[in-house]
Amino acid sequence: MANTRKGVTQVESTTRKAFKYRLYPTKAQGRALDTTLLLCQRLYNGCLEERRGAYKKAGKSVSVYDQMKALPEVKDGVPEYKGVNAQVLQNVVRRVDRAFQGFFSRVKAGKTPGYPRFKPRDRYDSFTYPQPSQNSVSGDGKHVYLPKIGNVRIKLHRPFAGKLKTLAVKREGREWYVVLSCEVPRAEPLPETSSGVGIDVGTTWFYVTSDGEFCKNHRFFQASSKKLRVAQRALSRKPKGRSNRRRKAKERVAKLYRKTARQRLQLHHEEAKKLVSQHGLICHEDLNVKGMAQGKLGKQIHDVGWGQFFQILSSKAEEAGRRVLAVDPRFTSQRCRVCGHTEKGNRASQANFRCLSCGHSENADVNAAKNILAQGLRFVAQRTSLEDACHEKPRPLGLG
C-alpha cells in the first residue's frame, strides 16, 4: 500500500473496501443469473482447454489478448453468449490468465505448482463486472442494476461509500449476493496509546490476554455438529446423481456449514476490533496453524480458526495504525514470567502454572500471555524506530 520513489516512501491516500449485500431476484432474474453463471463456467473451461491443447499439440502459448479477440467469434458460434455482458466474458478470460500466472510463479518459486483445473458447475459460483456504472445502486438503495439482467432487488443493510471499482455477483447455495469493491479514503489512524497486550490462543478459551481477560471459545462447529450429522446422513442415503432430492439434501448440509463459518467470522471481526481499539501493540504466537490442524486436535483447531483471526487482526491493525507482532511460540507456556526458569514441569495442569524454581503460581494461560508480551516488547526495544502497523515475525529469542 505504499510507493517508494528515490528513497521516499509515499503512503497511498486511498484503499479498497468490499461491501457484501443479499440479492432478491425474481424468478426470471434468477434464471438469468443461473444461465450467466453456467455460460461463464463453460467459457472458463473452454479457455483452459484451448491453452492446454495449444501447448500440448504445438508447444504454443495462447495469450489472454488472443482469447479476448476470439470472444466475438464465440458469440457468433454460440448465440447464448450474446445475452452475457461483454466485460463479464472478458473477466472470465482474465481469471484463466491469473490461474496460469499463479501456476508459473509457484513453479519459479519452487513450490508445489498445482496446474489450473477445470471448474465443475458446483465450484464456479461468481461472475464480475470489472467496470460498473457509479449509479449501479439506485438512489433509494432498493435495487442494483446488472447489465443484461436488469434491476435486481437488494438488501442494503448498511451504506457503502467511495468510488465503485468492481461489482461481483456470487451464488451461495440458492442465495445470491453482490459484492461492491469500492475505493475509499484511507481512515485516519486511531489515537496513539502506550498500551500493549499479549494474547495466548487455545481451544479451551479462544484467547487469554496478559491483562487477565478470558475470551470464550464458542465452538460453533461443535454446537452445530448434531444437525450436521443428521443432514450428512440424510445426504449419504440419497442415490448419487443429479436428482432433486440429493440436491436439496446437499444444500441443507452446505447451509449449515455457511452458518457456522459466518458465526466464526463475526466473532473474529468483533474481537479483533476490540483488541485494536484498546491497544497500540498486540503480540501473539507465530503458530503453524496448518501443521497443528493435522494433529489430534485438528477438528477443534479448525473450529476456533486462529489463522483467519490473525489475518483479520493484522488487517485491522494496519488500518488503525496499530502494531501486531507474531513472536516465537516456543516455551512460552513453560517459562516462568517472574524468574525466567523454563521447565516442562512448571505447567502443573492445563489451567495452573507453578514455577519449580521460585514458586510463582498463576493461571497458565495468563502466564503464557505475559511471556508473549514480554518477548514482543524486547523486540520493539531493539528497533531504532517504529514503522507502520504490520504483521511482523521477530527472530526467535533465548529462553531467558
Side-chain angles (χ1 to χ4, degrees), residues 32-33 77 119 152 165 170 192 194 206 225 281 293 302 358-359 369 374:
L33 290 170
K119 298 284 188 180
V152 183
K165 302 297 288 186
K170 182 176 174 59
E192 292 186 7
S194 59
F206 177 41
S225 60
L281 174 67
H302 281 302
C358 70

Side-chain angles (χ1 to χ4, degrees), residues 113-305:
Y115 193 83
R117 295 182 294 178
F118 294 105
K119 298 284 188 180
R121 291 177 59 179
D122 295 340
R123 292 188 177 274
Y124 198 96
D125 57 8
S126 68
F127 59 90
T128 302
Y129 296 92
Q131 295 178 352
S133 168
Q134 296 302 310
N135 300 319
S136 294
V137 179
S138 61
D140 58 6
K142 294 183 178 180
H143 295 86
V144 59
Y145 177 67
L146 305 178
K148 297 288 186 176
I149 294 174
N151 289 304
V152 183
R153 193 157 62 94
I154 184 176
K155 178 66 174 178
L156 213 66
H157 63 275
R158 61 167 177 161
F160 69 94
K163 182 180 180 181
L164 186 58
K165 302 297 288 186
T166 65
L167 188 154
V169 179
K170 182 176 174 59
R171 183 181 63 193
E172 296 184 4
R174 301 308 301 171
E175 299 174 355
W176 289 94
Y177 294 85
V178 63
V179 181
L180 309 179
S181 177
C182 302
E183 187 177 68
V184 298
R186 183 174 291 277
E188 291 293 329
L190 294 177
E192 292 186 7
T193 175
S194 59
S195 174
V197 69
I199 58 175
D200 179 63
V201 296
T203 55
T204 303
W205 297 95
F206 177 41
Y207 68 75
V208 178
T209 71
S210 54
D211 296 332
E213 179 185 354
F214 291 76
C215 179
K216 180 181 178 181
N217 179 11
H218 292 271
R219 296 180 173 88
F220 296 114
F221 181 80
Q222 182 178 333
S224 63
S225 60
K226 184 176 180 179
K227 291 182 179 179
L228 272 170
R229 185 165 59 250
V230 173
Q232 287 174 328
R233 286 176 178 174
L235 174 61
S236 66
R237 289 194 294 267
K238 302 296 185 292
K240 292 186 177 180
R242 289 193 172 274
S243 67
N244 285 332
R245 294 178 63 192
R246 182 174 179 81
R247 176 182 60 80
K248 291 179 180 180
K250 188 176 181 180
E251 288 174 0
R252 281 194 291 270
V253 173
K255 188 174 182 179
L256 288 170
Y257 275 109
R258 286 198 302 273
K259 180 180 178 180
T260 301
R262 289 169 181 170
Q263 289 175 320
R264 186 183 300 114
L265 181 64
Q266 181 177 351
L267 173 69
H268 290 174
H269 274 288
E270 291 174 352
E271 295 301 328
K273 183 178 180 181
K274 182 175 70 174
L275 289 170
V276 168
S277 64
Q278 295 176 352
H279 305 286
L281 174 67
I282 305 168
C283 305
H284 67 79
E285 297 168 290
D286 182 19
L287 299 175
N288 178 13
V289 180
K290 185 176 181 180
M292 295 174 65
Q294 297 176 357
K296 295 181 179 179
L297 297 177
K299 185 177 292 187
Q300 291 90 327
I301 292 174
H302 281 302
D303 193 4
V304 75

Side-chain angles (χ1 to χ4, degrees), residues 328-343:
D328 182 29
R330 290 177 294 178
F331 308 110
T332 53
S333 61
Q334 301 174 12
R335 183 186 306 121
C336 176
R337 71 172 183 86
V338 176
C339 68
H341 176 69
T342 303
E343 185 177 339

Side-chain angles (χ1 to χ4, degrees), residues 27-47:
K27 289 185 178 180
Q29 290 172 341
R31 289 193 293 270
L33 290 170
D34 283 326
T35 301
T36 299
L37 199 57
L38 176 61
L39 292 173
C40 288
Q41 177 251 346
R42 290 177 177 174
L43 178 63
Y44 182 96
N45 290 339
C47 291

Side-chain angles (χ1 to χ4, degrees), residues 14 21 26 31 34 48 77 101 107 127 140 147 159 173 180 185 187 247 256 314 335 345 348 357 360 363 378 388 397:
T14 60
Y21 304 103
T26 63
R31 289 193 293 270
D34 283 326
L48 178 57
Q101 293 300 325
V107 171
F127 59 90
D140 58 6
L180 309 179
R247 176 182 60 80
L256 288 170
S314 178
R335 183 186 306 121
S357 176
H360 171 69
N363 180 276
R378 284 198 295 267
D388 292 335
L397 301 175

